[in-house]
Amino acid sequence: MERRNTRQRQQILDTVRALDHPDADEICAALAGEQPRAGRATVYRNLNLLVQQGDIRRIETAGADRYDGCLRPHYHLHCRCCGRVFDAHMPVVEGLDKQLQDTDGFAVEGYTIEFIGLCPACIKLKSGGR
Amino acid sequence: MERRNTRQRQQILDTVRALDHPDADEICAALAGEQPRAGRATVYRNLNLLVQQGDIRRIETAGADRYDGCLRPHYHLHCRCCGRVFDAHMPVVEGLDKQLQDTDGFAVEGYTIEFIGLCPACIKLKSGGR
DNA sequence: CTCTGTGCAAAAGATTTGCAAGGTG
DNA sequence: CACCTTGCAAATCTTTTGCACAGAG
């Protein structure tokens, strides 16, 4: 199917790349001031399209999904309190799928590692309080 | 805070353990025939409670979250087509968090590995078609 | 009896969809 | 000028919440 090049689509892609693992809402907010400000539906439609095309990655998260404009293999730190996602600084582990012993017919295409914990902001909230 | 032992709570816990990574809807469906059939709100309330208490684990997934009654450390196979979750048969990888080089103040509490791909049922759908 | 837990229905969020109008190639 | 895209609003879907009543301890 033919794919056209609209300003909205380009803006949304640029925004995902510019922000740090934004969710749909943060993308809409960032686009608020733009020329032909993209509506919510357009943002969602294009996020799905860009994910399908492989231009961005979707990070499934509680509440709202987040999006990652960086395609290099890497892992994430996921804050269990605010839900935000950060990049983990560590070498990529190769061949983890080789350790799978029996996938019962499941076709493994890739894998990711997710570290869970608290981000600096949420640590501050818990301790200092208020 | 005091916690009471209701039949609904026990049924919901049993159901999560009996089913294979069910989502809230599948749990409601399974409970449909039970004595005091638990309402949707009760299911959600108890799932949250059981997760907090550490009796079950929550698996954040696109669409609806899923729940895991198995607490032993293990990893998952996640079908990108139907969203279902299966257990990965492989030894647990120790010390991955030791490889982190710089967490920028993020407090790592644990980690998980998720394999992505297609489950047998979805492979069949894609090929045979219809 | 007291107070936590349940059911129901309404509310709140996130995401999708129908449709007429707009803009790209 | 064909038809992919957008905007808007309504529709869906998942999960949460308010409130009166039920039931565990």
Side-chain angles (χ1 to χ4, degrees), chain A residues 10-123:
Chain A
Q10 188 59 50
Q11 283 174 352
I12 291 167
L13 177 54
D14 290 344
T15 303
V16 171
R17 288 178 172 156
L19 298 182
D20 195 43
H21 310 97
D23 58 22
D25 201 58
E26 291 167 351
I27 295 168
C28 287
L31 258 45
E34 299 296 320
Q35 289 293 349
R37 64 197 168 325
R40 242 186 175 54
T42 299
V43 168
Y44 277 106
R45 271 187 290 236
N46 278 299
L47 286 174
N48 286 337
L49 204 82
L50 292 167
V51 168
Q52 276 183 3
Q53 292 181 174
D55 291 322
I56 61 178
R57 279 169 55 192
R58 167 178 281 124
I59 308 171
E60 295 176 356
T61 280
D65 286 347
R66 290 177 174 277
Y67 298 87
D68 193 339
C70 172
L71 298 175
R72 277 183 283 98
H74 66 282
Y75 308 126
H76 291 136
L77 303 170
H78 179 197
C79 181
R80 67 172 162 77
C81 183
C82 66
R84 278 182 295 182
V85 172
F86 305 84
D87 283 333
H89 304 301
M90 75 174 259
V92 171
V93 182
E94 304 280 1
L96 264 183
D97 49 341
K98 299 294 188 302
Q99 298 185 38
L100 283 170
Q101 288 158 356
D102 172 18
T103 61
D104 297 309
F106 191 100
V108 176
E109 298 175 339
Y111 55 87
T112 187
I113 302 176
E114 185 184 83
F115 294 89
I116 310 210
L118 290 176
C119 74
C122 287
I123 293 173

Side-chain angles (χ1 to χ4, degrees), chain B residues 10-122:
Chain B
Q10 189 58 50
Q11 284 176 349
I12 291 167
L13 177 55
D14 290 344
T15 303
V16 172
R17 287 178 174 156
L19 298 182
D20 193 46
H21 310 97
D23 60 22
D25 202 58
E26 290 167 351
I27 295 167
C28 287
L31 259 46
E34 299 295 320
Q35 290 293 347
R37 64 193 170 327
R40 240 184 175 53
T42 299
V43 169
Y44 278 106
R45 270 187 291 238
N46 278 300
L47 286 173
N48 286 337
L49 204 83
L50 292 167
V51 168
Q52 277 182 4
Q53 290 179 175
D55 292 321
I56 62 178
R57 280 168 55 192
R58 168 178 280 125
I59 308 172
E60 295 176 355
T61 279
D65 286 347
R66 291 177 173 278
Y67 297 87
D68 193 341
C70 171
L71 299 175
R72 276 181 285 98
H74 66 282
Y75 308 125
H76 292 135
L77 304 171
H78 179 196
C79 180
R80 68 173 161 78
C81 183
C82 66
R84 278 182 295 183
V85 172
F86 305 84
D87 282 335
H89 305 300
M90 73 174 262
V92 172
V93 182
E94 305 278 2
L96 266 183
D97 49 341
K98 300 293 188 302
Q99 298 185 39
L100 282 169
Q101 288 159 356
D102 170 18
T103 61
D104 297 310
F106 191 101
V108 176
E109 299 174 343
Y111 55 87
T112 187
I113 301 176
E114 185 185 82
F115 294 89
I116 311 208
L118 290 176
C119 75
C122 288

